[in-house]
Amino acid sequence: SIKLPAKIKDYEEDTEFKVETLDNLTSLVSIAVEKADDAYFSAIDGMLCNDKGNTIIYCPTAYSTASGNVEIPAGVSVIGPGVFRGRNNFTEISIPGYVTEIGEFAFADCKNIAKVTIEGARSKDLVIKDSAFSGCARIKDVVFAGNGKTTVDSGKTTIGPNAFANLLQLRTFTVEAGANISEIGVSAFEGDSKLRTIDIADGAVVTKIGDSAFRGCENILSFTIPATTAAVGNNAFENC
């Protein structure tokens, strides 16, 4: 583990401390930060956060949990860009309803994750940004969970470009009743060549399917575009 002083900051200049330099500590399992009223960073559950504790900035290279699941602490609303990229000690991800943003490449290239669940009953919007889960070689299931009710979540989810692209073992994409997806973005699932099942339940909402969203998903057996879908982009199902 490492403890950072309260005064340390993250700078752009090469001569100053940058969070990325911690990647050189390949056995680092946790981070602590000295407490002070003017501290630039904070630490929660061994991860580096902003001073308010609502954004995860960095996950140590050897970080792990007893369950093998990525556990997002209560109060964290933003998972920053690249935070968990290439972290291989996890087998499952569950994104709680209080998370509102998953940054670019946040979970990209995680070799051992097999399932991603976006929890339902959302009251706040969620944005999954560019390539957030791309290149995770073992993901087999992506689930947008429902809410157990007959109404649709008030919180909408936007799936950004390439968010789940190039998942070479992905078999199923499920949207349960009550989930509210405003957009499946450009190339969101492109290149997922083993994807066979797209299951969008009655009572789920998918408003837009973007350009090339499922391009190259050549093993899809069947797919019914929901009645809630108002737009389907160019080449959305090309080479399927």
Side-chain angles (χ1 to χ4, degrees), residues 2-234:
I2 189 172
K3 187 172 185 177
L4 301 177
K7 296 292 185 181
I8 199 165
K9 293 185 177 182
D10 186 17
Y11 290 95
E12 294 297 330
E13 294 82 3
D14 291 338
T15 56
E16 302 288 356
F17 169 76
K18 293 200 293 186
V19 168
E20 290 80 2
T21 61
L22 296 174
D23 280 341
N24 296 320
L25 303 175
T26 57
S27 298
L28 184 64
V29 297
S30 67
I31 296 173
V33 177
E34 180 185 13
K35 292 185 178 181
D37 291 340
D38 58 349
Y40 189 81
F41 295 117
S42 65
I44 301 176
D45 293 351
M47 293 180 285
L48 190 66
C49 299
N50 65 345
D51 59 331
K52 296 178 180 178
N54 59 13
T55 300
I56 302 176
I57 296 172
Y58 184 82
C59 174
T61 50
Y63 185 86
S64 63
T65 63
S67 66
N69 299 341
V70 176
E71 297 173 358
I72 306 301
V76 169
S77 58
V78 177
I79 301 169
V83 165
F84 293 96
R85 186 172 191 173
R87 304 303 189 255
N88 296 321
N89 291 329
F90 305 107
T91 57
E92 189 169 332
I93 302 170
S94 184
I95 303 297
Y98 47 77
V99 173
T100 60
E101 182 179 313
I102 302 173
E104 295 91 342
F105 298 96
F107 295 95
D109 304 321
C110 292
K111 294 180 180 179
N112 293 316
I113 291 170
K115 183 177 182 179
V116 175
T117 301
I118 309 297
E119 295 181 9
R122 292 190 164 271
S123 60
K124 298 180 179 179
D125 292 348
L126 169 65
V127 177
I128 303 173
K129 292 198 169 182
D130 191 350
S131 303
F133 296 92
S134 64
C136 292
R138 294 186 181 178
I139 290 178
K140 292 184 178 181
D141 301 289
V142 172
V143 178
F144 286 75
N147 56 25
K149 302 177 181 179
T150 57
T151 56
V152 174
D153 287 348
S154 58
K156 298 179 180 180
T157 296
T158 301
I159 303 174
N162 303 295
F164 296 96
N166 299 312
L167 306 186
L168 300 183
Q169 296 300 321
L170 183 65
R171 301 298 202 278
T172 63
F173 167 47
T174 303
V175 183
E176 297 179 351
N180 189 352
I181 297 179
S182 60
E183 180 177 0
I184 299 175
V186 173
S187 300
F189 290 86
E190 183 172 357
D192 296 349
S193 58
K194 293 185 179 180
L195 178 62
R196 293 172 64 86
T197 303
I198 302 174
D199 183 6
I200 300 177
D202 292 339
V205 170
V206 176
T207 305
K208 180 181 179 181
I209 299 173
D211 295 349
S212 303
F214 295 95
R215 183 178 184 181
C217 297
E218 58 194 39
N219 282 302
I220 293 175
L221 298 177
S222 65
F223 174 54
T224 301
I225 296 175
T228 58
T229 302
V232 177
N234 295 327

